[in-house]
Amino acid sequence: MSVQSAERVHHETQHLTLEILAKRPAADGVVEVVLGSPDSAELPAWLPGAHLDLHLADGLDRQYSLCGSPGDRGTYRLGVLREPASRGGSQLVHEGLAPGQSVEVTGPNNHFELVSSPRYRFVAGGIGITPLMPMLEAAEREGAEWSLTYMGRSRATMAFLDEIVARHPGKVEVCPNDEVGILDLAERFGTVQEDTLVYACGPEGMLRAMESATAHWPAGSLHLERFAPKDAELLTKDRGAFTVRFTESDVEVEVPEDRSIVEVAEEAGVPVIFSCMEGTCGTCETRVLCGEVDHRDSILSDEEKAENDVMMICVSRAKGDRLELEI
């Protein structure tokens, strides 16, 4: 299986009922969850960077990166960090799920595709290692040059650390804060490396540091995946009203300043699919046919936003008075 080209890949969303086959510690505060089909059927294919939406109790939907091997069509593997400050999803996974139980999922979906390149530099912070694990395997299989910088509070908190180091000797730089301190990413990425792509996932502070450290690199060099909105304040400020026409449904609606396109579409009976409502998961990505978009998501690159071809309708809005969307 080869890595992906630069073109964004879209897959039809699939809804599945899976069984928890195993659940075990992966590090302090992290559990590994292994899912499979109750009848041992082959699972939908996926590529590095993909995630699943878990539909948990109390109406909570959460996205978790697939960290196993795409070649394994019998199981999906997730790593879930317990976050005390979260809204309850990680607590439900840690305390409410057990082997033998069923769980509803949607996906796999992918908005963090691995673009083909002769060289990669991977940077992980904490649980941000999970989407990168299949990428390491793909880069190795393709014969690309690569290295991984893996940061965490301590070795004990760094999920799958021993497994990754054992599989890729000599290519993994282990950087626990309690041993080496906080890395100077600006220094590490000060020299531009030609024909090299950088993939990073981790806490927002690290990602902002990566954006600053690679600002002088060629456009498109840095690829990020965020767990939370890049700018939460942007989601609610300067929200004007506008009109949206859903061309496939032949429905036209007014979107007031205090509501999202998703909310208004649902009320009008338009079949929309969504999950995070924060512009971070990509489930609601929709093709734009007419109108200029006020992009407020944390997924699309600056280049993709400038193309104005797609938008995340859970948070993004119209710059003008009207949009036409292919729904």
Side-chain angles (χ1 to χ4, degrees):
M1 184 187 307
S2 63
V3 297
Q4 291 300 285
S5 68
E7 181 179 357
R8 290 174 63 82
V9 178
H10 305 282
H11 301 286
E12 182 178 353
T13 299
Q14 302 183 68
H15 301 275
L16 307 168
T17 300
L18 301 181
E19 180 182 340
I20 299 173
L21 303 180
K23 180 181 171 186
R24 47 187 171 249
D28 288 354
V30 180
V31 292
E32 176 187 4
V33 179
V34 182
L35 305 172
S37 174
D39 58 2
S40 301
E42 191 174 75
L43 297 174
W46 59 282
L47 294 170
H51 68 266
L52 286 181
D53 284 39
L54 265 60
H55 306 299
L56 304 168
D58 300 329
L60 292 176
D61 294 341
R62 294 294 182 268
Q63 297 79 42
Y64 297 108
S65 298
L66 289 164
C67 61
S69 170
D72 178 3
R73 298 293 298 278
T75 63
Y76 289 147
R77 185 185 186 198
L78 311 173
V80 181
L81 170 68
R82 180 165 186 165
E83 301 183 78
S86 76
R87 293 168 295 171
S90 65
Q91 180 179 344
L92 282 173
V93 173
H94 276 249
E95 298 181 2
L97 299 184
Q101 289 183 345
S102 295
V103 61
E104 301 293 320
V105 309
T106 302
N109 295 309
N110 199 339
H111 292 271
F112 193 42
E113 295 95 350
L114 185 64
V115 178
S116 184
S117 176
R119 279 176 293 279
Y120 299 97
R121 290 183 68 175
F122 298 104
V123 182
I127 198 62
I129 189 63
T130 51
L132 301 184
M133 290 170 65
M135 294 186 181
L136 308 183
E137 303 289 344
E140 187 74 19
R141 187 169 53 250
E142 292 296 313
E145 297 179 25
W146 66 270
S147 65
L148 166 67
T149 299
Y150 186 6
M151 297 175 282
R153 295 193 308 275
S154 66
R155 289 177 185 267
T157 66
M158 298 169 71
F160 309 110
L161 177 61
D162 291 343
E163 172 188 333
I164 294 168
V165 171
R167 284 189 179 183
H168 308 291
K171 294 190 175 183
V172 181
E173 180 186 23
V174 182
C175 301
N177 293 347
D178 62 352
E179 296 179 21
V180 302
I182 304 298
L183 294 188
D184 186 342
L185 294 172
E187 179 182 355
R188 286 171 176 265
F189 289 89
T191 301
V192 175
Q193 293 179 273
E194 297 297 326
D195 300 319
T196 301
L197 295 182
V198 182
Y199 277 78
C201 186
E204 183 59 28
M206 187 202 89
L207 298 184
R208 288 183 181 272
M210 286 297 304
E211 288 176 322
S212 176
T214 59
H216 60 295
W217 283 52
S221 296
L222 179 64
H223 297 253
L224 303 177
E225 182 165 66
R226 286 184 151 89
F227 299 134
K230 180 179 179 180
D231 184 356
E233 292 184 0
L234 179 64
L235 303 186
T236 56
K237 74 176 185 179
D238 300 329
R239 287 163 51 114
F242 55 95
T243 301
V244 175
R245 178 170 179 78
F246 303 106
T247 59
E248 298 296 300
S249 303
D250 193 22
V251 172
E252 186 166 300
V253 296
E254 294 297 317
V255 181
E257 61 183 23
D258 61 342
R259 304 191 71 191
S260 69
I261 297 176
V262 161
E263 291 170 321
V264 174
E266 265 209 312
E267 189 175 89
V270 176
V272 289
I273 300 173
F274 60 95
S275 180
C276 72
M277 293 299 288
E278 294 181 328
T280 58
C281 76
T283 302
C284 68
E285 180 176 320
T286 301
R287 188 166 299 281
V288 179
L289 301 180
C290 183
E292 191 175 0
V293 178
D294 176 9
H295 291 286
R296 302 186 178 207
D297 67 271
S298 301
I299 300 172
L300 297 176
S301 67
D302 290 341
E303 293 79 11
E304 289 169 328
K305 290 177 180 178
E307 289 170 358
N308 205 66
D309 291 334
V310 297
M311 68 182 296
M312 306 303 159
I313 60 174
C314 66
V315 292
S316 295
R317 305 181 68 79
K319 281 190 176 179
D321 297 329
R322 183 180 179 85
L323 289 173
E324 291 189 7
L325 305 179
E326 191 178 54
I327 305 178

